[in-house]
Amino acid sequence: MLDRLFQALVDGVLQGSVLSLAAVGFSLIFGVLGVINLSHGVLIILGAYLALVALRTIGLDPLLALPLIAAICFGVGYLYQRFLISPAIRRASLLSSLLVTYGVALILQNLFTLVFSADNQSVRPDYANSFDRFGGITVNRLQLIAFAISCVLIAILAWVLRRLPIGRSIRATAEHELAARLCGVDTDQIYAISFGLSAAFAGAAGVLIGMLFPFAPSSQEDWTIFGFVVVVLGGAGSAAGALLGGLLLGIISALTGAFVGPAYPNAVAFLVLVLMLLLRPHGLLGSAFHGSR
Amino acid sequence: MKRPLSRRAVRTGIAGAAVLGALAVLPLIASPFALRVAQTILFGAALAIAWNILGGFAGYWSFGSAAFLGLGAFTAALMQEHVQIADPALRLAVALAMGGIAASLLAAIIGYPILRLRGAYFSIAMLGVSLILAELSSGLDVFEGAVGVTIDPVTAAAPERFFFYVFLALAVIALSIAAAVRYSRLGYGLIAIREDEDTARMLGVPTERYKLVGFIVSALLIGLAGAAYAFNLGYVTTSSVFRSQLSFDVVVYALLGGMGTLAGPVLGAAIMAVLNQVVLGGLLQIHMLMTGIIIIALVFLLPSGLMGLMRGHRRILTVVGTPMPEERAVTAAEQPPAPACPQTDEAVLKLVGLSRQFRGLKAIDQIDLQLRSGSISAIIGPNGAGKSTLFNLVTGYLAPNSGEIWYQRTRIDGLPTHRLSRAGIARVFQIARPFHGLSVYDNVLVGALFGRDGSRDPHQLTMDALALARLSALADQPAASLPVGHLRRLELARALATRPRLVLADEPCAGLNPTETREMMDMIQAVRRTGTTVFLAEHDMQAVMRMSDVVFVVAAGRLIAQGPPLDVAHDPAVIEAYLGKPFELGSVSEPVR
């Protein structure tokens, strides 16, 4: 019984770390731009398909391809914000970004279906199937690797946001765009960079997700929704919040999966989401960024 | 608000009747394919109209329409399965009703807590609700959602035609209800909530109740539509009705058509259905892809929705255009009739031992004061002395830690803000908070529609308040276009339209130039002449000295002096805490009064 509890907790933390990585970009965009990016899930799936292409064409191991894919996604995200989202917001309203990102999600999802078919795919490498035992707990080696990568990447993002000048500019822009501009911050640039960062993290998460789980174009919707859940649990715009939110979501899912029944993890997760919103609408860490007013 | 129907209303009515007539004969002439497209449009329109009641009018965007849709569908399906009713038409009617009731019950249960969330958080919470229901419907045996519930056919002959009429009826009902809401007090209140919820409350809009009513009405209609959808489909599964994509499609319809308008959601649903099924119908493979491209293109081509194309700077709220009186400067001599100044010794407002702390800081510390009816009183003091906190306490934005607030003969501390407005307390904010999206007239009209209890003529009240604030000429301008000085006057006009007995004005002259300050002072004098008590917080000593009957001085949360202006100005404690030196009236020696 105790073993089962520990096993569920460990599984939850391992899965949760990947959820955190997948959602941290969504949280950043919501916190900094106030945009609900409905195409976040499709960017994650983009990362997974890029890993698939790299593996199939040049036989590149997904883990080695990860930095490259993150870089490509950064570019995609940067251009996406600069040339599509930002003009739409300027021309119509902030809310129109909802339509634009929804449209992009539709386009990419169906493009993936055309190119790769609607079937489940996977980039699971051979070493994914080795297990290590620690006491009574079994741990999948790939999950351990994914956990390490997720934590390192989130730590890097936290460090960038906290310590680097660009991070300070991002946080300033998130707090108050006009004030940041008056202090000499090129906020248009900051928005595009934030979006690029968000997409890069989505892409990196997509590679890990592609290795861990089967994926299909239609799974993009779930990943966007996980973004919502994590933001609510952890609060918008902070790396630590996303980590916390993702871990919580992972643990909740694993615990309900182990003790309540396999059918319910999502129901419980969403129930926690709604309760959390009602009790602490600014997340556990309570970072009240511009999107979260 | 009974006014003769305008030409526009008549024209709209005739056009509506013509469209309805055309639709009624459509099944007799249209091909099955056209009929199916029309059905999709009507279904989408009904959903989007329902969504728009809360999302478009009140600005509360639900990403969880699927929750009500699915609940309505499942309730209807299970109803017809477990309760045997022989007559198919009756079976359908009962099932539809149950679907609608179930959805509105859910809304009533979750409404109060979930509507406390604002902006994106409300949207996300609603998405969460729909996801929870989706999981439950596929996981719980009662719902049989994973395998699906089959529904017996309602009609043997021509089901397409039959369901076309069902959806037509649904869309017409939804549109009529939306129109009725839109032009009722409920609708005006919801729009005020969308523009600025806190201000709406200060003007007497019962925000909590209105949002809940809007939510329930919206859910009822969506539940009905869901039930009809289920019967049309012939079966219900979790994946057919609890689809998040349905929730987002509805938002897209409303946004594309034009948020907050009546026809917008219908147009949005129509354009998407036609594009999807007629234009792109043959391109199965890239059909959804093209849909995405079209959505994005429409954002750029029609930034404010289809309805945005047709709207100029028309007043948004008013039903019927009433000719504006010609502009004329209202001078002090011809102000609205002033009843004899009923300045009495009765206290309009009485604070007893009032205290409020923020953590360790005593923002308001044991303050006792009384305002005489019909007087102008001013409260002065250094920044951070507690003036705004005091106003927040009196208007119900904050609750006191201890002490009592009495208004006339009622104790009011702890009452919600909108109740205070109904009792006759109005407030002018320090930073003007107009409803940016509305015209000047509509801003004031909201105050006139709500505010103090009693019979009223909202239009006349609005015009009077605009005249007093000298804004009649700008009535049709959007409030967002006004400069600061005019915004302050708008703020005052809106507060006056609530027919207050007590007006709290938080630094009405801050940021105004000398001419504007003088005009504002004149207006405040005019307000007092109507018998209304005025309570000012102000830094402009000239204004304070000239206008006030009584001055209260606060410093660090305590009342340190009170009395006639000149006495207070020479009080050593006041000089030390606030003035720095004894106050001398400037070169203008004659009091304005």
Side-chain angles (χ1 to χ4, degrees):
Chain A
M1 174 67 195
L2 209 59
D3 269 3
R4 248 177 90 202
L5 178 66
F6 278 127
Q7 179 73 52
L9 282 177
V10 169
D11 287 347
V13 168
L14 293 182
Q15 292 226 1
S17 64
V18 180
L19 291 176
S20 303
L21 185 68
V24 72
F26 182 86
S27 166
L28 186 70
I29 291 306
F30 183 46
V32 176
L33 283 82
V35 167
I36 295 180
N37 181 10
L38 294 178
S39 56
H40 189 73
V42 92
L43 290 172
I44 291 175
I45 297 299
L46 172 68
Y49 278 110
L50 286 177
L52 183 74
V53 171
L55 185 70
R56 291 238 179 110
T57 52
I58 49 174
L60 194 60
D61 185 280
L63 284 183
L64 296 178
L66 190 142
L68 183 68
I69 290 172
I72 294 175
C73 287
F74 180 91
V76 169
Y78 183 94
L79 298 174
Y80 177 22
Q81 146 70 15
R82 253 281 113 115
F83 294 106
L84 201 59
I85 294 180
S86 168
I89 291 177
R90 210 166 299 146
R91 193 164 158 74
S93 64
L94 184 62
L95 293 173
S96 71
S97 61
L98 210 60
L99 285 180
V100 171
T101 56
Y102 182 67
V104 166
L106 276 183
I107 293 172
L108 285 184
Q109 180 185 336
N110 290 284
L111 203 61
F112 292 155
T113 311
L114 279 181
V115 178
F116 300 103
S117 88
D119 302 335
N120 275 332
Q121 308 269 7
S122 173
V123 288
R124 200 171 175 83
D126 299 333
Y127 52 84
N129 295 321
S130 53
F131 291 86
D132 301 300
R133 292 190 67 84
F134 302 98
I137 296 163
T138 316
V139 177
N140 175 278
R141 187 164 305 158
L142 179 62
Q143 284 203 324
L144 215 52
I145 296 172
F147 173 76
I149 292 177
S150 301
C151 290
V152 168
L153 285 178
I154 291 174
I156 290 176
L157 180 65
W159 178 76
V160 167
L161 285 179
R162 196 133 288 281
R163 295 267 171 250
L164 290 196
I166 181 76
R168 230 168 274 139
S169 300
I170 289 176
R171 283 186 293 134
T173 308
E175 288 290 342
H176 202 295
E177 189 201 341
L178 183 61
R181 254 200 326 231
L182 288 172
C183 296
V185 177
D186 180 354
T187 52
D188 288 343
Q189 187 72 3
I190 290 298
Y191 284 150
I193 289 174
S194 303
F195 222 102
L197 279 175
S198 160
F201 277 81
V207 176
L208 297 180
I209 286 163
M211 296 167 76
L212 289 167
F213 316 106
F215 58 92
S218 58
S219 40
Q220 59 96 3
E221 196 181 293
D222 295 337
W223 290 106
T224 303
I225 288 171
F226 284 138
F228 281 124
V229 181
V230 169
V231 162
V232 169
L233 292 179
S238 91
L243 184 64
L244 185 68
L247 292 181
L248 272 178
L249 180 60
I251 291 172
I252 292 165
S253 300
L255 286 180
T256 38
F259 294 102
V260 184
Y264 295 106
N266 282 341
V268 174
F270 297 134
L271 194 63
V272 171
L273 164 95
V274 172
L275 289 180
M276 186 68 195
L277 270 172
L278 299 179
L279 299 177
R280 283 203 64 121
H282 293 302
L284 283 177
L285 298 186
S287 73
F289 262 1
H290 130 169
S292 48
R293 270 179 309 207
Chain B
M1 277 205 310
K2 279 179 191 150
R3 262 174 269 151
L5 287 175
S6 74
R7 277 228 189 92
R8 199 181 120 233
V10 172
R11 252 183 287 148
T12 312
I14 292 172
V19 170
L20 201 59
L23 281 173
V25 297
L26 188 71
L28 309 176
I29 48 172
S31 67
F33 173 69
L35 204 56
R36 206 165 54 238
V37 175
Q39 229 184 59
T40 315
I41 294 176
L42 290 173
F43 173 62
L47 288 180
I49 292 166
W51 181 90
N52 192 47
I53 290 177
L54 190 73
F57 297 162
Y60 275 72
W61 288 32
S62 163
F63 287 175
S65 302
F68 301 125
L69 185 99
L71 187 64
F74 267 101
T75 309
L78 293 172
M79 172 82 201
Q80 72 92 39
E81 192 181 60
H82 293 294
V83 183
Q84 297 299 330
I85 301 175
D87 179 33
L90 183 65
R91 187 157 53 87
L92 175 70
V94 171
L96 286 187
M98 292 309 287
I101 290 171
S104 44
L105 268 181
L106 175 67
I109 293 167
I110 63 172
Y112 178 70
I114 218 165
L115 284 164
R116 287 196 341 231
L117 298 170
R118 291 194 184 178
Y121 285 96
F122 171 76
S123 313
I124 296 173
M126 282 307 299
L127 179 67
V129 169
S130 81
L131 293 171
I132 291 171
L133 286 183
E135 295 285 336
L136 288 181
S137 79
S138 67
L140 292 180
D141 291 339
V142 235
F143 287 109
E144 312 163 41
V147 274
V149 186
T150 313
I151 299 171
D152 303 331
V154 175
T155 161
E160 306 84 26
R161 249 182 234 179
F162 180 78
F163 278 101
F164 173 85
Y165 285 120
V166 171
F167 285 123
L168 179 62
L170 211 70
V172 170
I173 291 172
L175 191 60
S176 318
I177 291 181
V181 168
R182 171 69 177 70
Y183 293 118
S184 67
R185 253 165 60 109
L186 174 62
Y188 293 78
L190 291 177
I191 289 173
I193 289 171
R194 177 187 74 203
E195 295 293 323
D196 185 335
E197 192 161 343
D198 292 329
T199 307
R201 202 175 299 148
M202 189 66 250
L203 294 175
V205 179
T207 51
E208 306 278 324
R209 186 152 47 89
Y210 273 23
K211 285 190 293 185
L212 190 60
V213 172
F215 192 48
I216 291 174
V217 170
S218 167
L220 172 75
L221 292 172
I222 296 174
L224 278 175
Y229 182 72
F231 270 78
N232 187 27
L233 222 54
Y235 64 91
V236 191
T237 61
T238 297
S239 56
S240 69
V241 288
F242 282 117
R243 271 187 294 145
S244 299
Q245 201 190 335
L246 269 172
S247 305
F248 287 112
D249 280 345
V250 174
V251 182
V252 169
Y253 297 157
L255 268 174
L256 281 184
M259 294 281 296
T261 59
L262 282 175
V266 183
L267 291 177
I271 194 169
M272 285 311 285
V274 168
L275 283 173
N276 263 328
Q277 302 194 346
V278 181
V279 181
L280 304 172
L283 312 167
L284 265 184
Q285 285 284 314
I286 57 164
H287 164 173
M288 289 306 282
L289 196 157
M290 293 302 292
T291 308
I293 294 176
I294 288 167
I295 291 175
I296 295 174
L298 285 175
V299 169
F300 283 90
L301 294 175
L302 304 169
S304 40
L306 282 168
M307 291 302 286
L309 282 181
M310 306 169 197
R311 190 194 307 154
H313 275 308
R314 220 172 53 212
R315 275 184 242 157
I316 306 178
L317 284 183
T318 19
V319 197
V320 196
T322 318
M324 283 285 138
E326 285 169 28
E327 182 191 355
R328 60 194 182 95
V330 181
T331 59
E334 48 172 348
Q335 298 281 346
C341 180
Q343 189 167 336
T344 64
D345 283 336
E346 192 200 341
V348 170
L349 186 74
K350 193 164 106 186
L351 310 182
V352 185
L354 197 66
S355 297
R356 168 75 200 199
Q357 304 180 3
F358 296 106
R359 306 236 165 99
L361 176 75
K362 288 181 174 171
I364 294 290
D365 191 8
Q366 292 289 332
I367 285 191
D368 299 277
L369 63 76
Q370 289 194 25
L371 301 188
R372 264 178 307 131
S373 173
S375 66
I376 295 183
S377 309
I379 183 164
I380 60 172
N383 284 323
K387 302 187 294 290
S388 291
T389 306
L390 190 72
F391 277 21
N392 282 334
L393 289 169
V394 173
T395 50
Y397 280 71
L398 288 174
N401 293 112
S402 64
E404 298 168 7
I405 306 173
W406 291 81
Y407 167 70
Q408 292 172 333
R409 287 186 199 84
T410 335
R411 190 167 162 189
I412 58 165
D413 43 295
L415 287 184
T417 303
H418 69 90
R419 291 276 302 279
L420 301 178
S421 171
R422 283 178 54 188
I425 299 179
R427 176 173 181 181
V428 178
F429 286 98
Q430 182 174 2
I431 296 165
R433 299 175 68 165
F435 300 129
H436 284 283
L438 306 184
S439 71
V440 168
Y441 177 92
D442 288 333
N443 262 275
V444 181
L445 182 64
V446 172
L449 282 169
F450 295 90
R452 184 154 66 86
D453 288 334
S455 67
R456 69 202 83 173
D457 174 353
H459 175 70
Q460 195 52 48
L461 273 170
T462 303
M463 297 314 290
D464 289 348
L466 284 172
L468 190 142
R470 300 179 205 173
L471 287 169
S472 305
L474 299 173
D476 281 334
Q477 296 294 315
S481 72
L482 296 189
V484 177
H486 288 63
L487 283 178
R488 278 290 162 71
R489 273 147 59 180
L490 175 58
E491 208 42 46
L492 185 68
R494 201 170 55 180
L496 291 182
T498 65
R499 307 163 304 289
R501 293 208 172 94
L502 169 64
V503 174
L504 286 85
D506 203 346
E507 300 196 24
C509 300
L512 300 186
N513 68 30
T515 317
E516 289 170 334
T517 302
R518 214 154 33 238
E519 286 173 355
M520 179 57 79
M521 285 161 64
D522 286 352
M523 284 169 206
I524 289 173
Q525 302 274 6
V527 171
R528 184 259 287 279
R529 271 195 295 277
T530 65
T532 306
T533 311
V534 180
F535 195 15
L536 291 171
E538 188 51 75
H539 278 301
D540 188 323
M541 285 306 291
Q542 293 277 354
V544 169
M545 301 303 284
R546 282 175 202 292
M547 281 193 295
S548 334
D549 303 309
V550 183
V551 175
F552 300 95
V553 187
V554 284
R558 300 194 71 97
L559 189 64
I560 59 169
Q562 60 176 305
L566 281 174
D567 296 359
V568 167
H570 292 96
D571 185 321
V574 176
I575 294 169
E576 192 196 341
Y578 181 53
L579 294 176
K581 60 181 172 56
F583 182 82
E584 303 295 343
L585 276 183
S587 53
V588 194
S589 54
E590 187 193 339
V592 184
R593 192 178 315 151

